[in-house]
Amino acid sequence: MRIYQTNIEKYKDAASRLKRKSDLLSMYRLCVFVLSGLAIFILRDQSFLLLFLVIAPLCVFGFGFLVRRHTNVDNLAQYTSSLREINEHEMLRHENKLTGFASGDKFIDSNHPYASDLDIFGNHSIFQLINRTTTEQGERQLADWLSTAAPNIVILKRQEAVKELSPMLEWRQHFHAAGMQFRHTKDEFDQLLSLVEKPVRLLTKKAKYITVCVLLSLLSTSAAAYFLRHAFALNTAEDLIKYSVPLIIMLLINSMVLRKFRYLTDEFIKNIHRDIKLLQTYQSLSAKIESAKFQSELLRKLQSSLCTSNTAKEIKRLVRMLEVLKLKGGKRQFNNFFYSAANALWFMDVYLIIAVEQWKAQNSSILRTCVDAVSDFEVLSSLAGFHCSNPSFAFPEIVDEQYHFDFNSVGHPLINREKRVYNDFCLSDRGNIGVVTGSNMSGKSTFLRALGMNAALALMGAPCCAQSGRISNIRIFSSMRTMDSLEEGVSSFYAELKRIAGLLNLLKHGHAVFFVLDEVFKGTNSKDRCQGGYSLIKQLSKLNSIGLISTHDLELAAMAEKRAGAINYSFNSTLQNNELIFDFALTKGVCRDANAIELMRRSGIEIL
């Protein structure tokens, strides 16, 4: 992961340089402001009028240039800091230090077939390991891909796209940084979408409104020129009234006309600062996509959906119109006064609203297309980042057989690579069931989760924590974290029964299922557990399923193999210096160690 460390140092140095440049520009800006004020004060005398008319605009434009330059440098510094943060996060993910990353808790659904059991969402989850999205829509798209198996052809196209994006580290990180400049919620985007897609109201009578506004603007301008022409020669109040009446009358007429359009401008101004930032975010993300060159079919298709409608260019055009309209409610009094004066004379509101409505008429669906393409790109880029940081992870082959699950050197992706243990596992043909035995902490649950996680990754198009793999496009189902609920009056045993009932219901509808059931019927006595467990295994072996069941009950494991044709697997341990040593290696057959009894004896328990 040397590249990430190198990038951290590079962007840290760049941010420091930009900070020094920003401080220098701040000092220049202050100096220009003071000197400009002093020059204007000295040259205000009428004898220096010509020089004043030259120096004053230069001072204003010079100060404006420095303000703009300072803002650009600050924005670049923020962008550079985002790039440094991205590489720092990659280092943390590489070490499986996921605390602090968005957990995706809002996507947890206790009724989902597998997500709540397999650490797909939540603290120290697959979502945290993969997620490199910056928009809420991108997060939701990632959650959907993790929760739903894609069709075979879609999986193959996603794999191809991820393989292409994986080595494009610089592009991916700049794409990521572009989305980090403004965080927003789905509700905020939906409000903007509603505003943009709202039916036009002025455009249908565009000619009428423009004609009226042009005529009134000409009369207002004439009245203003008439007043200014005589303004310097006013001697009495009567002269002031005489020359200002036409202008006052026109301003009153104009204000009455503008009042009819106020409800339209208020709609845009309400959240205009937020909307502009949101649009700029999507414009920047779209521009990054449009400017790149891709080869894979899926990436080219997504890019084409943006390029065809010139998405980045059109969003930028809308932003420019809104930025002018923003002056109407600007926080700076100078901007507000300038816009208000121009609006009172020349109906800026009307022309801007008509221009925005023309944009809406031409680009009514552009934002939906944009967010769909950007969201898919964010998820594919996240998967590519995941693959780039884990180059040993393999893309499994999706086979046409209905019941096939085969991984070589499969491991748990959320366990640190230095401690991760890999096992081979293969299960195929309808009705084949494996029974896993072993003591507590031997690795049964971890192994089951590893299989379930990698199946979920495979069926979304992601690389898996394995050397290689072949898997059917099969439904995943788990029952591992059944909890009691005092509020609902549900015991853990009843919760497990409800969960298994869900599995049987899924199978009754004809779906092919790969299941993992942990500590089956652990909430009841050994006799009932053995009888119930055997009955369930026998029933599942006749249905459209393959899967694994773990248990402590060696009698159940032996019975399942003898009477139901189940395959026994186990995790064993050795006793060294009064400690159980686990190798977490999957072996064929029932668990053969009895080290727990020996530990009990050495703990002072008199074993009978």
Side-chain angles (χ1 to χ4, degrees):
M1 294 296 104
R2 188 178 300 169
I3 183 63
Y4 298 136
Q5 190 60 51
T6 301
N7 283 346
I8 290 170
E9 296 301 324
K10 180 177 73 172
Y11 293 126
K12 187 176 180 180
D13 290 343
S16 296
R17 289 195 300 271
L18 288 167
K19 176 66 168 62
R20 290 194 296 271
K21 192 172 184 178
S22 175
D23 292 341
L24 196 62
L25 285 168
S26 293
M27 186 179 68
Y28 288 162
R29 188 174 67 175
L30 178 62
C31 291
V32 169
F33 179 79
V34 172
L35 292 175
S36 297
L38 186 62
I40 291 171
F41 178 77
I42 293 171
L43 299 174
R44 75 188 188 284
D45 191 90
Q46 192 170 358
S47 59
F48 298 111
L49 180 60
L50 184 61
L51 192 58
F52 175 83
L53 293 175
V54 174
I55 295 295
L58 287 176
C59 290
V60 171
F61 284 116
F63 182 73
F65 171 78
L66 287 174
V67 169
R68 182 78 178 208
R69 181 67 176 156
H70 183 259
T71 301
N72 290 340
V73 169
D74 281 350
N75 289 340
L76 185 57
Q78 182 183 350
Y79 185 81
T80 305
S81 295
S82 295
L83 287 168
R84 188 195 70 227
E85 182 183 333
I86 288 167
N87 283 276
E88 289 171 345
H89 287 177
E90 291 294 349
M91 292 289 289
L92 291 172
R93 287 193 178 94
H94 183 70
E95 298 169 5
N96 284 91
K97 296 177 180 178
L98 305 178
T99 304
F101 291 113
S103 64
D105 280 344
K106 57 190 172 186
F107 304 118
I108 294 176
D109 177 7
S110 59
N111 295 317
H112 190 272
Y114 60 84
S116 57
D117 285 332
L118 302 182
D119 296 321
I120 302 298
F121 307 110
N123 293 323
H124 204 74
S125 63
I126 290 293
F127 182 84
Q128 290 178 305
L129 191 61
I130 292 177
N131 182 33
R132 290 156 176 83
T133 65
T134 56
T135 68
E136 185 169 341
Q137 290 85 347
E139 275 194 352
R140 290 181 180 276
Q141 188 76 311
L142 174 58
D144 182 61
W145 287 20
L146 280 166
S147 305
T148 311
N152 286 8
I153 186 64
V154 174
I155 294 173
L156 294 175
K157 288 179 180 179
R158 288 177 184 173
Q159 287 182 350
E160 182 185 9
V162 172
K163 289 175 185 176
E164 181 177 357
L165 285 174
S166 182
M168 296 173 62
L169 178 67
E170 185 175 358
W171 183 89
R172 283 191 290 101
Q173 292 197 346
H174 281 277
F175 177 69
H176 190 170
M180 291 174 67
Q181 303 313 298
F182 179 68
R183 302 281 187 171
H184 63 275
T185 65
K186 184 177 183 298
D187 287 341
E188 290 171 340
F189 180 81
D190 288 343
Q191 289 171 19
L192 173 62
L193 201 61
S194 174
L195 183 63
V196 169
E197 294 182 344
K198 189 171 287 187
V200 297
R201 280 168 270 190
L202 298 189
L203 203 57
T204 53
K205 298 179 181 179
K206 171 186 172 183
K208 170 187 171 183
Y209 290 125
I210 290 180
T211 301
V212 171
C213 290
V214 168
L215 289 173
L216 291 175
S217 295
L218 289 173
L219 291 172
S220 303
T221 304
S222 300
Y226 177 72
F227 173 76
L228 291 173
R229 181 181 176 184
H230 299 90
F232 294 104
L234 296 176
N235 296 316
T236 64
E238 291 178 357
D239 289 340
L240 177 63
I241 294 171
K242 176 182 175 182
Y243 296 120
S244 64
V245 165
L247 178 59
I248 293 170
I249 291 172
M250 288 310 305
L251 291 177
L252 287 172
I253 293 172
N254 291 358
S255 68
M256 287 188 288
V257 174
L258 286 169
R259 192 176 292 118
K260 293 183 178 181
F261 302 103
R262 184 176 296 168
Y263 73 101
L264 289 173
T265 55
D266 286 348
E267 280 184 349
F268 284 97
I269 290 173
K270 184 180 180 182
N271 297 306
I272 196 165
H273 293 274
R274 184 194 72 193
D275 291 344
I276 286 174
K277 287 184 177 294
L278 200 159
L279 286 167
Q280 286 173 332
T281 297
Y282 276 101
Q283 185 270 328
S284 182
L285 289 167
S286 300
K288 287 283 190 296
I289 295 170
E290 290 179 34
S291 63
K293 292 183 179 180
F294 301 112
Q295 300 300 321
S296 65
E297 181 183 347
L298 179 56
L299 295 180
R300 289 170 67 89
K301 181 181 177 182
L302 292 171
Q303 184 186 47
S304 176
S305 68
L306 297 176
C307 292
T308 302
S309 54
N310 292 316
T311 301
K313 182 180 177 181
E314 288 301 322
I315 293 178
K316 190 173 184 178
R317 191 160 67 89
L318 176 60
V319 167
R320 285 174 178 168
M321 288 184 274
L322 293 180
E323 282 181 330
V324 177
L325 190 59
K326 182 176 70 172
L327 298 176
K328 180 181 179 71
K331 294 179 181 179
R332 296 179 182 175
Q333 293 299 318
F334 177 78
N335 288 346
N336 191 281
F337 171 78
F338 178 82
Y339 183 90
S340 298
N343 192 37
L345 290 172
W346 303 309
F347 299 94
M348 298 291 291
D349 283 359
V350 178
Y351 296 128
L352 281 169
I353 294 299
I354 288 175
V356 170
E357 289 197 342
Q358 281 183 315
W359 186 94
K360 286 166 62 175
Q362 297 165 1
N363 303 287
S364 59
S365 62
I366 197 169
L367 283 184
R368 286 192 184 274
T369 302
C370 175
V371 73
D372 289 344
V374 166
S375 297
D376 281 355
F377 254 98
E378 283 198 293
V379 179
L380 291 168
S381 182
S382 293
L383 295 178
F386 174 58
H387 183 231
C388 182
S389 293
N390 299 279
S392 63
F393 286 16
F395 289 91
E397 178 187 353
I398 310 300
V399 298
D400 292 330
E401 306 164 46
Q402 264 197 314
Y403 306 95
H404 192 80
F405 192 101
D406 183 6
F407 280 99
N408 292 323
S409 296
V410 63
H412 195 300
L414 293 174
I415 293 177
N416 194 290
R417 65 196 69 235
E418 283 76 25
K419 298 180 180 179
R420 188 184 298 148
V421 175
Y422 299 90
N423 286 288
D424 295 337
F425 182 76
C426 179
L427 201 63
S428 61
D429 297 331
R430 179 180 181 272
N432 270 347
I433 296 171
V435 177
V436 185
T437 51
S439 61
N440 282 326
M441 305 191 327
S442 63
K444 300 190 306 299
S445 300
T446 300
F447 179 68
L448 264 59
R449 283 199 179 88
L451 296 182
M453 285 178 185
N454 282 290
L457 290 171
L459 298 180
M460 73 177 292
C464 296
C465 183
Q467 188 176 38
S468 63
R470 300 179 75 247
I471 184 173
S472 307
N473 197 323
I474 192 169
R475 296 284 188 102
I476 307 168
F477 191 94
S478 66
S479 176
M480 302 186 72
R481 285 192 176 123
T482 50
M483 302 288 289
D484 60 348
S485 173
L486 294 176
E487 184 179 347
E488 297 180 11
V490 176
S491 68
S492 58
F493 178 64
Y494 184 65
E496 183 182 9
L497 290 179
K498 284 180 65 178
R499 192 74 182 167
I500 290 174
L503 168 61
L504 295 174
N505 186 56
L506 192 63
L507 290 167
K508 284 178 182 177
H509 285 81
H511 299 298
V513 176
F514 170 75
F515 61 84
V516 285
L517 310 179
D518 192 32
E519 301 293 351
V520 66
F521 301 142
K522 57 184 174 290
T524 188
N525 63 70
S526 59
K527 179 181 178 183
D528 290 347
R529 178 169 61 248
C530 190
Q531 184 177 358
Y534 163 70
S535 301
L536 176 62
I537 292 169
K538 188 73 174 177
Q539 184 175 356
L540 290 173
S541 68
K542 298 176 182 178
L543 298 174
N544 298 326
S545 66
I546 56 173
L548 281 176
I549 293 175
S550 74
T551 181
H552 282 290
D553 199 317
L554 303 184
E555 184 181 350
L556 169 59
M559 185 187 300
E561 182 177 34
K562 184 177 180 181
R563 300 184 184 178
I567 306 168
N568 272 313
Y569 300 92
S570 61
F571 289 93
N572 296 279
S573 62
T574 56
L575 190 62
Q576 296 178 11
N577 300 322
N578 292 339
E579 290 186 20
L580 280 176
I581 306 300
F582 299 102
D583 59 11
F584 306 112
L586 183 71
T587 58
K588 282 285 187 76
V590 178
C591 179
R592 58 185 180 274
D593 66 53
N595 292 320
I597 289 292
E598 182 61 25
L599 272 182
M600 292 178 197
R601 180 180 289 110
R602 297 190 183 194
S603 298
I605 300 173
E606 296 180 3
I607 302 299
L608 301 177

